[in-house]
Amino acid sequence: MAVVNFATREITARIVYFGAGGAGCNTNVRKLYDLLGARERSRLHKFGTVDSREISWYFDYVPIEASVAGDFQLRMRVYSLPGGIALPAHREVVLDQVDGVVFVADSRRDQAAANLDSLLELEKVLAMQGMELAALPVVMQVNHGDNAEARPIKEVAFDLNPYGFPLVSAVASRGDGVVEAHAELSQRIGKRIQSIMSGKEAKGRLIAEYRPDVDRDEAVVHEHLAEIRSRSPAGPEALLEATEETEVLSPVDSVLEIPFPMRELHLGRPLEVLGAEIEGDRILIHLLLDPHTGAEVTRKTISLNLAPGRSATATPAPVAAAPAHPAFVDRSGEPDEVSAVVATPPSETADVVGWIYGFAGMVGGIAMGIMLGYLVGL
């Protein structure tokens, strides 16, 4: 049940990855965090109980194309809820007011019963909260497609998909099918919100509020932990919350300024730095750009060539093909590249410049001598 905040002009929707233990719910959320492009994105968090076999992962983001109605922008809160989480309060809190579900089915033959149990559990929890699975936007992702014991996707769907949900084949550990499943569900949620706000759909509901100060990032996770504690007073007291561990770099001692003729590229406004890497004698910087021409968001790779002996140039690259869904960028493809060679001036150029100045000085001296001689003769 999406929340419409009139103070921030923002609509917040909740997506949950649900499936049996080992199906790949957590892998999906962590891979998705690495693959999608966003105007704004929180850090990646995990939360749950210490004695549980599995935990939930969480992050929120604002898509590139975030407008859903007028000047309201959409914010997605993404959760994983694997089957190994046994605490009922945890499942209830994560699924509370959910707007869409990616049901992660395990295609391995020995997991057929676990898939069915997980689907029945999902329907049960939703029913307790007054929701029907068939009425929700749902995408079924069939994971572990690269396993030797993987069943055909149609066979898995025959067991689990009586409602005809969209199917996506995946190998989440490689990132295959992760963006596709999420993009499909996001589009369905966005269209449903638009239908509800326009009065075309009567079944769905939205929550209206006016809150200038909205919980973000760590505050959301701590709120969930407090809610889990309140719903399970007799349950485990030891709850955990930790952000994704990231490498902490030492403070920057100095900044290297490199002259770069961006005006020649006409690239547009950078939205996000997707990553950077070193390849031989050049540095590749992957950018997500919003073109000045009004075209769709594209990816570009800036190549800074630091090899000596080459003059600075900037060559525009072909326009990148738009992603299947503008809110997501699959970095597994080959990005477009814009080359910009930044080099030290060659010694030959310095010699030529010095010779020109020397010659100009000699000619100027001769001219001054002639002038002085003429004046003395007078």
Side-chain angles (χ1 to χ4, degrees), residues 280-350:
D281 57 4
R282 61 181 184 169
I283 300 174
L284 301 180
I285 304 174
H286 309 302
L287 300 174
L288 195 63
L289 297 167
D290 188 5
H292 294 308
T293 59
E296 293 186 355
V297 173
T298 59
R299 290 175 297 163
K300 295 288 183 184
T301 294
I302 303 299
S303 174
L304 300 181
N305 195 319
L306 304 179
R310 299 177 63 179
S311 59
T313 62
T315 306
V319 177
H325 187 273
F328 304 96
V329 176
D330 184 355
R331 282 187 271 177
S332 61
E334 288 295 328
D336 292 334
E337 184 172 308
V338 178
S339 296
V341 182
V342 181
T344 55
S347 58
E348 292 84 356
T349 302

Side-chain angles (χ1 to χ4, degrees), residues 144-367:
H144 297 297
D146 61 336
N147 191 277
E149 296 298 320
R151 294 188 294 162
I153 188 171
K154 291 184 178 179
E155 185 178 330
V156 177
F158 182 81
D159 293 344
L160 302 173
N161 197 14
Y163 303 116
F165 297 134
L167 295 171
V168 176
S169 180
V171 182
S173 60
R174 296 201 308 245
D176 300 347
V178 172
V179 172
E180 291 81 355
H182 193 77
E184 177 69 28
L185 183 61
S186 298
Q187 290 172 351
R188 289 175 175 268
I189 290 175
K191 290 178 181 178
R192 187 170 192 243
I193 291 174
Q194 289 174 340
S195 296
I196 295 172
M197 295 187 74
S198 63
K200 296 179 181 179
E201 183 171 335
K203 290 184 179 180
R205 291 188 300 164
L206 300 175
I207 298 175
E209 65 179 20
Y210 190 93
R211 294 179 56 195
D213 298 323
V214 183
D215 291 338
R216 293 277 187 263
D217 213 3
E218 288 94 343
V220 173
V221 175
H222 288 301
E223 181 181 326
H224 292 330
L225 291 172
E227 183 68 15
I228 293 172
R229 283 193 179 96
S230 67
R231 294 193 185 191
S232 56
E237 292 296 327
L239 298 175
L240 67 91
E241 187 278 327
T243 57
E244 172 81 355
E245 291 185 3
T246 55
E247 182 181 0
V248 179
L249 301 177
S250 58
V252 178
D253 295 330
S254 61
V255 176
L256 176 63
E257 297 287 349
I258 299 178
F260 183 57
M262 288 291 288
R263 62 184 180 277
E264 297 180 15
L265 302 178
H266 304 289
L267 292 177
R269 181 172 64 91
L271 293 174
E272 183 180 359
V273 177
L274 300 175
E277 58 186 303
I278 297 176
E279 185 180 271
D281 57 4
R282 61 181 184 169
I283 300 174
L284 301 180
I285 304 174
H286 309 302
L287 300 174
L288 195 63
L289 297 167
D290 188 5
H292 294 308
T293 59
E296 293 186 355
V297 173
T298 59
R299 290 175 297 163
K300 295 288 183 184
T301 294
I302 303 299
S303 174
L304 300 181
N305 195 319
L306 304 179
R310 299 177 63 179
S311 59
T313 62
T315 306
V319 177
H325 187 273
F328 304 96
V329 176
D330 184 355
R331 282 187 271 177
S332 61
E334 288 295 328
D336 292 334
E337 184 172 308
V338 178
S339 296
V341 182
V342 181
T344 55
S347 58
E348 292 84 356
T349 302
D351 293 341
V352 170
V353 172
W355 182 84
I356 292 174
Y357 277 112
F359 180 77
M362 181 183 68
V363 172
I366 294 173

